[in-house]
Amino acid sequence: MFRYLARGYDRKNMLKSHERQKRISQMAIPFSQDGIDDVVFSDMSKVEEFFAPILPAVPISEGHNTISFQSDILTDDKNNNIFDCVVTDSLSKDHALVVFHHWYARNRYTAFAKYFAKKGITVIEATLPHHFGRATNDYSEEKLFNADLGRTVQSMRQAVLDGRKIVRWLYSQGYKKISVVGMCLGGTVAGLVAAQEQKVDKAVLMVSPGSPADLVWTGETMRALRGRIEPSISLEGLRTAWGVIDLEQHVWHLSRPSLDLMLLLGKDDTIARSDSSERVIEFLKKVNLPPTVARLNCGHSSIGMFPYNLIAARKVMRFLKETPTLSELWEVRGFRYNFSEVFDRSSSNRG
């Protein structure tokens, strides 16, 4: 029954998306390849340089439950150059979780943040470029992901640098563990942040496209965007052009032993189809670092409806709180080798 209701929920949201696309079709950003040759890298060291922080991780203002930063990337939209984060404090420095919302988000994940904060994890909700207070109008979110290939890469780069800045600031505040989680394109951003930022311990990608190019080509709500791109470039060409923001091209960094990765996939997801995510999963399995994978009986938007939102939250909580990273296991191994008696007592206390 729930699966049937989830499909209806997804169809309703897809219709809303199609209606919005028709409403703004006259303002849609047209296809362009300008500047894309400058960000197609075959040398991974250049990718690391591309995503390297530019400015110090120092806030420009702090409020009761908000914190603001200057973005490392300056754009023509002044609103977009400063980003706010909403903080739900757990009153503990044990664990912090940076949350990246989905594309077109209209509301924060308030219930999600409160749930994790009650469990002892401080939640910092980031703001993706051209969303919420960074937007100038109802059309602004299009500037994050669109048919202008170079512009999309630069917007995603801005999102990643913003995310890294939040992580670096949290590290400077003394948080013992830092994790990232993202939904849809926010999950792609979270994955890129985790790939490039060594201070990230755990990453959770929820119904997220591993390959933004594949998202455009196969996503049910991406037909209009594909229609603006396809006459000028093939899927393989788009994969190459957007390789720097493709998680499949970052699997080497995602496979570092100090990072634990979790993917939540919707079995009925017709937007962020799981093909590219499955390729990432298979690669990590081949290098003996398989991620935690949960496949839910829902679609894309319906991961946010009951009971799938509750199931997802509990799976993420279990992953964040109970699953040690390989580096932690290695430390425990050494601890046991030298202090086996103490380790045995601590293990029994953990349950």
Side-chain angles (χ1 to χ4, degrees):
M1 181 184 74
F2 285 119
R3 196 168 190 174
Y4 173 79
L5 293 173
R7 287 170 178 168
Y9 186 87
D10 286 318
R11 283 194 297 271
K12 180 180 177 181
N13 279 277
M14 281 188 279
L15 285 173
K16 286 182 179 179
S17 179
H18 289 312
E19 289 170 1
R20 183 185 189 280
Q21 291 173 32
K22 290 179 181 178
R23 189 173 70 250
I24 67 169
S25 60
Q26 298 301 316
M27 298 180 288
I29 298 172
F31 176 82
S32 174
Q33 284 184 284
D34 291 348
I36 199 63
D37 290 339
D38 297 331
V39 294
V40 176
F41 306 120
S42 57
D43 184 350
M44 188 52 75
S45 65
K46 292 183 179 179
V47 175
E48 294 173 3
E49 183 179 346
F50 184 71
F51 287 119
I54 299 172
L55 301 175
V58 179
I60 57 176
S61 67
E62 294 185 55
H64 172 64
N65 64 341
T66 60
I67 185 167
S68 300
F69 294 93
Q70 169 75 55
S71 180
D72 281 15
I73 304 294
L74 298 181
T75 65
D76 293 336
D77 296 339
K78 291 183 179 180
N79 286 356
N80 189 49
N81 296 335
I82 294 175
F83 64 95
D84 296 329
C85 304
V86 177
V87 181
T88 307
D89 200 339
S90 69
L91 303 181
S92 168
K93 290 292 183 72
D94 286 341
H95 201 155
L97 177 64
V98 185
V99 178
F100 299 92
H101 59 76
H102 61 281
W103 191 29
Y104 290 145
R106 287 292 183 268
N107 300 294
R108 297 285 187 177
Y109 301 160
T110 305
F112 182 95
K114 288 181 178 179
Y115 173 77
F116 282 86
K118 286 180 180 178
K119 301 294 184 179
I121 300 177
T122 293
V123 177
I124 299 89
E125 296 183 73
T127 302
L128 293 181
H130 307 291
H131 286 70
F132 296 119
R134 305 179 75 170
T136 53
N137 51 49
D138 186 51
Y139 168 67
S140 291
E141 295 98 338
E142 293 288 329
K143 297 177 184 178
L144 174 65
F145 193 67
N146 53 72
D148 186 329
L149 308 189
R151 186 175 202 166
T152 292
V153 169
Q154 290 298 338
S155 292
M156 292 290 282
R157 179 193 184 202
Q158 183 179 37
V160 173
L161 292 181
D162 293 347
R164 292 193 68 178
K165 179 167 289 188
I166 299 169
V167 171
R168 287 157 51 222
W169 177 76
L170 288 168
Y171 185 80
S172 73
Q173 299 303 298
Y175 282 91
K176 297 176 183 177
K177 184 176 291 184
I178 302 172
S179 301
V180 295
V181 61
M183 175 86 166
C184 189
L185 273 176
T188 304
V189 173
L192 293 170
V193 170
Q196 295 298 321
E197 182 53 68
Q198 297 284 325
K199 295 178 177 65
V200 173
D201 298 289
K202 297 173 184 284
V204 180
L205 316 184
M206 304 176 67
V207 290
S208 304
S211 163
D214 285 48
L215 172 68
V216 169
W217 232 253
T218 63
E220 194 164 345
T221 58
M222 298 290 166
R223 293 171 186 168
L225 179 54
R226 177 177 173 176
R228 290 190 288 275
I229 293 176
E230 189 173 15
S232 304
I233 193 171
S234 67
L235 173 57
E236 286 302 321
L238 187 59
R239 284 172 175 165
T240 299
W242 281 353
V244 71
I245 59 171
D246 188 330
L247 291 182
E248 291 185 57
Q249 304 303 315
H250 292 259
V251 287
W252 178 254
H253 289 89
L254 289 172
S255 66
R256 72 174 188 271
S258 60
L259 175 68
D260 259 359
L261 182 64
M262 178 181 194
L263 291 89
L264 275 81
L265 309 177
K267 293 180 182 178
D268 300 327
D269 194 342
T270 60
I271 298 175
R273 299 180 187 270
S274 62
D275 293 0
S276 61
S277 295
E278 295 290 358
R279 291 194 292 268
V280 172
I281 293 168
E282 286 305 310
F283 176 86
L284 294 174
K285 285 181 178 178
K286 288 179 181 178
V287 296
N288 294 319
L289 289 168
T292 299
V293 181
R295 296 176 174 85
L296 307 185
N297 292 325
C298 64
H300 193 75
S301 301
S302 53
I303 198 172
M305 67 173 283
F306 179 85
Y308 303 110
N309 55 354
L310 184 59
I311 294 171
R314 286 180 173 175
K315 286 183 178 294
V316 172
M317 177 60 71
R318 190 177 302 117
F319 170 76
L320 295 178
K321 296 286 281 187
E322 298 179 7
T323 307
T325 63
L326 288 179
S327 62
E328 290 170 338
L329 288 173
W330 186 257
E331 291 174 359
V332 168
R333 176 183 178 274
F335 185 61
R336 182 173 184 174
Y337 180 79
N338 292 290
F339 304 97
S340 58
E341 184 178 353
V342 176
F343 177 81
D344 289 340
R345 286 202 301 268
S346 65
S347 295
S348 63
N349 291 335
R350 291 177 187 173

